[in-house]
């Protein structure tokens, strides 16, 4: 049974930073791409990042240059370093894996992922 657990969320002022962690059990992530998503109240879940098995990252324009995804396969963990946070980054952040190796152009399609964490709340105050 695959379990995905996020941590590191919190309340931060605009311009601040947070580092999210996602630890997976029941699955060895070294063979799989990993995703981060977020969902704000009343909005659809959107992709924040994908990192493939060789560490190549993918981001939407909204976070490029501010967010950095990384992975430590020895710890079965991925991270999301979020800098220059804005109020519009406020959302529940979710970690996910689809048990595929590549991110591909459809990496932000939530249907590609079959194991999700419960989420960690990020709130950015203005």
């Amino acid at each position: 049974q695959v379990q995905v657990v996020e941590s590191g969320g919190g309340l931060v002022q605009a311009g601040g930073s947070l580092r999210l962690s996602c630890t997976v059990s029941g699955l060895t992530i070294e063979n799989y791409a990993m995703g981060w998503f977020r969902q704000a109240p009343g909005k659809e879940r959107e992709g924040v990042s994908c990192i493939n098995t060789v560490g190549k990252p993918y981001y939407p324009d909204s976070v490029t240059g501010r967010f950095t995804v990384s992975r430590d396969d020895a710890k079965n963990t991925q991270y999301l370093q979020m800098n220059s946070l804005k109020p519009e980054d406020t959302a529940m952040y979710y970690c996910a894996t689809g048990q595929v190796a590549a991110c591909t152009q459809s990496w932000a399609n939530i249907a590609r992922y079959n194991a999700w964490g419960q989420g960690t709340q990020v709130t950015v105050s203005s």
Side-chain angles (χ1 to χ4, degrees):
Q1 182 177 356
V2 178
Q3 289 190 317
V4 179
V5 180
E6 305 95 337
S7 62
L11 173 64
V12 64
Q13 288 189 331
S17 298
L18 284 173
R19 188 193 194 205
L20 306 184
S21 299
C22 166
T23 299
V24 179
S25 60
L27 177 76
T28 302
I29 71 168
E30 65 178 353
N31 297 318
Y32 304 114
M34 298 292 298
W36 281 103
F37 290 76
R38 66 185 180 186
Q39 188 167 19
K43 294 188 176 181
E44 292 186 352
R45 192 168 295 191
E46 64 174 352
V48 176
S49 70
C50 183
I51 185 167
N52 67 13
T53 56
V54 295
K56 182 177 181 179
Y58 297 76
Y59 309 101
D61 290 344
S62 58
V63 306
T64 296
R66 300 188 299 122
F67 290 10
T68 302
V69 64
S70 61
R71 60 191 296 159
D72 184 340
D73 291 342
K75 296 182 178 180
N76 237 34
T77 298
Q78 72 158 341
Y79 305 95
L80 185 68
Q81 178 67 43
M82 304 185 297
N83 298 328
S84 302
L85 282 162
K86 305 175 181 180
E88 51 262 45
D89 294 318
T90 295
M92 186 72 78
Y93 282 70
Y94 299 91
C95 174
T97 179
Q99 299 179 42
V100 295
C103 291
T104 77
Q105 290 185 339
S106 63
W107 68 265
N109 182 350
I110 63 173
R112 295 184 74 240
Y113 300 84
N114 57 13
W116 294 82
Q118 294 298 307
T120 185
Q121 178 67 39
V122 172
T123 303
V124 184
S125 63
S126 58

